[in-house]
Amino acid sequence: MVTIPPGRDSSRHVVRIDRTVLDDLGIETFHPQPSATRRRGGQVELEFEGAGSRATRVSLDGRVPTQLGAGARDGDISAVVDGDVQTVSTRTWVLP
């Protein structure tokens, strides 16, 4: 789950996720559904309708592909709030 804090421009919220995170972890579904999706280099940018003065929560669902080997998978997830990019580095361990 990604939580985007409310900002001055609460009409839209943007999440950027490394394409490798989506592919390696088999992420296929977002809730709520993004209103727009764009590719930006090695990232996917998802735009969501803002929740007004409340934080926007986005859940990511999927299944790790069975052919993916064991080991650590690293990537970044960012939220864009009022033009400021707030990034969290992630590490997911895939076990056999």
Side-chain angles (χ1 to χ4, degrees):
M1 176 167 298
V2 177
T3 301
I4 307 164
R8 289 183 305 277
D9 178 11
S10 58
S11 62
R12 70 180 199 103
H13 290 148
V14 174
V15 174
R16 294 179 184 152
I17 303 174
D18 286 351
R19 184 74 206 171
T20 55
V21 170
L22 297 176
D23 292 342
D24 285 353
L25 301 181
I27 304 297
E28 299 174 342
T29 308
F30 304 95
H31 183 75
Q33 289 292 316
S35 57
T37 305
R38 292 177 284 284
R39 290 190 83 139
R40 289 186 176 267
Q43 293 186 318
V44 174
E45 185 174 275
L46 308 164
E47 186 174 317
F48 298 91
E49 299 300 321
S53 62
R54 298 185 326 264
T56 298
R57 289 181 175 79
V58 179
S59 65
L60 298 78
D61 299 309
R63 185 185 335 182
V64 175
T66 56
Q67 74 276 12
L68 187 66
R73 301 294 185 267
D74 297 325
D76 291 332
I77 299 176
S78 303
V80 181
V81 179
D82 294 332
D84 294 325
V85 180
Q86 302 171 4
T87 301
V88 174
S89 294
T90 66
R91 172 169 283 174
T92 302
W93 286 92
V94 178
L95 303 175

